[in-house]
Amino acid sequence: MTPRPTPPESLPLEQMLARHARALDRRRPFEAFWQDCYDQTLPEPGKAAQLFDATAADAAEQLAASLLAELCPPWSRWFGLAPARPLDDSPAARATALALEDAAEMLQLHLDRSNFALEMHQAFLDLVITGTGIILVEEAAPGEPSALRFAAVPLRETVLEEGTSGRLDTIWRARSMTAAAIAARYPDATLPAAVLHADGEGEPARHRVLEAVHPDAHATSFTALLAGDDGHVWPLAEGRFAENPFIAFRWLKAPGETYGRGPVGKALPDIRTANLVVELVLKNASIAATGIWQAEDDGVLNPATIRLVPGAIIPKAPGSAGLTPLAAPGRFDVSQLVLNDLRARIRTALLADRLSPQREGRMTATEVMDRSAETARRLGATYGRLQSELLTPLVTRCLAILRRRGEIAPQTQDGQELRLRYASPLAQVQGRADAANTLLFLQAVGQLGPDAAAQVDAAAATRWLARSLNAPAEILKPLQATQNGVSPA
């Protein structure tokens, strides 16, 4: 990430630190809740022993992988570029459509060569667990296989602010870096002597670096500063981006809140209860396997030396009861009923029963359509938010980088020449439903006779179906040749 020269609209460093502190105070009420969600689904290695039920962890990982496969599947075209509607039926649209198709193919090529799938899956994990994910889109150094480089930014490192547009367009990222890492990331920065000579014996000293990206009157401003322990602040880099390199997106949000809420947070009470029930089941199983015993204090039997192993001989005094088992107060079979219900609710909340493939036999085409339609209904609001906050800014940022690198020809975006369309499996559900309704209409018209069939424009219907099913532009004849009845050369 190499910002351009310092813009005159940059905020004073002290004002930036004060603004970051206020945003950090607004984030603190969510931190304990996020940590609890992580402890129950993706615990740190030292805390994994406290987790007894893996249903939520498995379902959360499945949901993150399913989102990647349904929204932006690797090695597959999940987006497309097409002329806007006023150009769709004009002869000049074919050349524009072919140029846009080439641009989309080039973008897909760079995505396949980059680390997009790896980092996007990690960002989706953060989205599922905390409700908010962040992906950083940077331009790679010349000579790398791809012009794009991605990085999933942990939510714990960032503080977010919502702009007037309703999007998370202000991002503060606090990092702990060594002097060598700071010099490598900001080669033009002049580091103070106290930082350069802070390393002692053992591990190198780490320093707090704060990066801020926020919109200004023209584009997006970038500022990086070094905050010392004594309160001093040193600027590291300042500049401006045409597009925000940080893309923050949410699962859903409550009115008045900045950060999103994820499916793990919704199912957290059931996840906690299931974990506790499994812990009690294991304790009960341990009691059932080893038993609870009582012994008379007869001066011969020493409970401290007893080992309940096969072949053990336990001495006792003549006439004493020795070591006798103590009957358990009851059975714990009801726990299985409660646990099965809890696990089913957890998997339903994390969509494991909808997005995961079905293994109970083969499904018919109608069942597949119904299942896809139900998934689209359940994810309709979430998919709309992800399309607005993630997919559109992501494609826009990537196209801008490729355009600056000269990889694709300049095209008017969000204007009359370019329309972004999505071809992911989840996005195609509505298109397939519309196409099915149209085909049903055409079939009914064909049964009404020649007079009814003459009212249908077959060429227009073919082009409409091509748009609905995201067919490539190469398979359609030019409109002018079609109207004249001439096959293209």
Side-chain angles (χ1 to χ4, degrees):
M1 194 162 48
T2 305
R4 298 175 183 176
T6 305
E9 299 89 348
S10 296
L11 296 175
L13 300 184
E14 294 78 9
Q15 184 178 349
M16 287 185 57
L17 288 178
R19 181 177 173 183
H20 172 260
R22 292 192 298 269
L24 186 60
D25 290 337
R26 292 192 295 268
R27 194 193 75 165
R28 285 199 175 94
F30 296 90
E31 293 177 355
F33 178 71
W34 293 339
Q35 188 60 50
D36 198 3
C37 291
Y38 262 104
D39 291 342
Q40 298 293 334
T41 53
L42 198 65
E44 299 176 5
K47 298 181 179 179
Q50 303 175 5
L51 200 62
F52 296 93
D53 184 71
T55 303
D58 178 65
E61 195 279 332
Q62 284 189 30
L63 179 55
S66 298
L67 286 175
L68 182 65
E70 294 286 343
L71 294 179
C72 44
W75 310 103
S76 178
R77 279 280 299 277
W78 51 270
F79 63 92
L81 303 176
R85 181 167 293 276
L87 298 178
D88 276 347
D89 294 331
S90 65
R94 183 172 178 82
T96 303
L98 293 178
L100 293 177
E101 189 70 19
D102 292 340
E105 289 287 348
M106 180 60 66
L107 176 54
Q108 183 65 43
L109 178 64
H110 282 274
L111 289 176
D112 293 340
R113 291 178 176 178
S114 69
N115 60 340
F116 172 73
L118 302 178
E119 298 297 327
M120 200 68 244
H121 179 257
Q122 298 176 30
F124 278 141
L125 268 177
D126 236 1
L127 174 71
V128 171
I129 296 175
T130 64
T132 306
I134 306 167
I135 190 76
L136 174 61
V137 186
E138 296 180 292
E139 181 177 351
E144 294 191 13
S146 174
L148 306 173
R149 183 172 64 237
F150 301 88
V153 181
L155 185 59
R156 62 173 64 94
E157 292 184 0
T158 58
V159 179
L160 308 177
E161 288 187 54
E162 195 174 55
T164 56
S165 63
R167 296 183 179 179
L168 299 173
D169 51 11
T170 301
I171 292 93
W172 311 81
R173 185 185 186 186
R175 309 178 66 185
S176 179
M177 305 174 65
T178 63
I182 295 175
R185 184 166 179 81
Y186 311 104
D188 298 331
T190 302
L191 300 181
V195 173
L196 293 174
H197 304 290
D199 295 348
E201 297 181 358
E203 291 291 332
R206 306 188 73 86
H207 311 276
R208 183 170 176 261
V209 175
L210 180 63
E211 296 178 347
V213 177
H214 58 89
D216 59 18
H218 303 282
T220 300
S221 294
F222 169 82
T223 306
L225 53 90
L226 176 65
D229 296 334
D230 54 358
H232 287 82
V233 181
W234 296 274
L236 296 176
E238 291 181 318
R240 182 182 294 128
F241 292 100
E243 313 84 16
N244 196 331
F246 290 92
I247 301 175
F249 50 98
R250 295 163 288 193
W251 181 268
L252 61 86
K253 68 179 290 289
E257 293 183 354
T258 299
Y259 298 91
R261 299 195 180 194
V264 169
K266 179 177 68 173
L268 191 59
D270 289 335
I271 295 173
R272 288 190 189 130
T273 306
N275 193 59
L276 179 60
V277 170
V278 173
E279 182 181 3
L280 294 177
V281 168
L282 293 176
K283 289 181 178 179
N284 185 69
S286 176
I287 294 174
T290 60
I292 301 177
W293 304 79
Q294 61 182 354
E296 292 183 357
D297 187 6
D298 55 8
V300 176
L301 182 65
N302 184 5
T305 61
I306 294 177
R307 296 293 180 267
L308 297 177
V309 295
I313 299 177
I314 302 174
K316 73 180 188 69
S320 66
L323 189 65
T324 57
L326 183 64
R331 302 183 66 183
F332 206 58
D333 295 340
V334 70
S335 63
Q336 293 300 324
L337 300 177
V338 176
L339 188 58
N340 291 337
D341 185 47
L342 289 172
R343 286 173 172 170
R345 289 207 301 264
I346 292 171
R347 296 183 65 83
T348 300
L350 271 63
L351 301 175
D353 57 342
R354 282 295 167 187
L355 294 181
S356 60
Q358 294 290 323
R359 298 183 177 86
E360 296 85 3
R362 295 179 178 270
M363 291 191 298
T364 64
T366 303
E367 291 174 338
V368 172
M369 291 291 296
D370 291 342
R371 178 180 169 85
S372 300
E374 177 64 22
T375 301
R377 283 193 292 269
R378 297 190 63 175
L379 284 179
T382 299
Y383 176 69
R385 178 175 292 278
L386 291 177
Q387 178 175 312
S388 174
E389 294 185 349
L390 170 62
L391 301 181
T392 299
L394 177 67
V395 175
T396 302
R397 168 70 174 164
C398 294
L399 286 175
I401 292 177
L402 296 182
R403 195 178 299 120
R404 287 194 296 268
R405 293 275 289 254
E407 299 283 349
I408 60 175
Q411 298 288 343
T412 302
Q413 191 161 357
D414 296 329
Q416 294 299 312
E417 295 184 11
L418 177 61
R419 182 179 76 249
L420 179 62
R421 66 188 184 191
Y422 298 101
S424 63
L426 195 58
Q428 292 180 4
V429 172
Q430 186 60 46
R432 288 195 296 265
D434 294 340
N437 293 334
T438 302
L439 291 174
L440 181 62
F441 166 75
L442 294 176
Q443 181 181 1
V445 169
Q447 296 175 354
L448 295 178
D451 293 339
Q455 304 300 317
V456 176
D457 188 341
T462 302
R463 293 181 176 276
W464 187 91
L465 288 172
R467 289 196 301 268
S468 299
L469 298 176
N470 292 316
E474 292 88 347
I475 68 174
L476 295 178
K477 296 180 180 180
L479 184 62
Q480 185 176 8
T482 303
Q483 292 174 345
N484 297 334
V486 179
S487 178

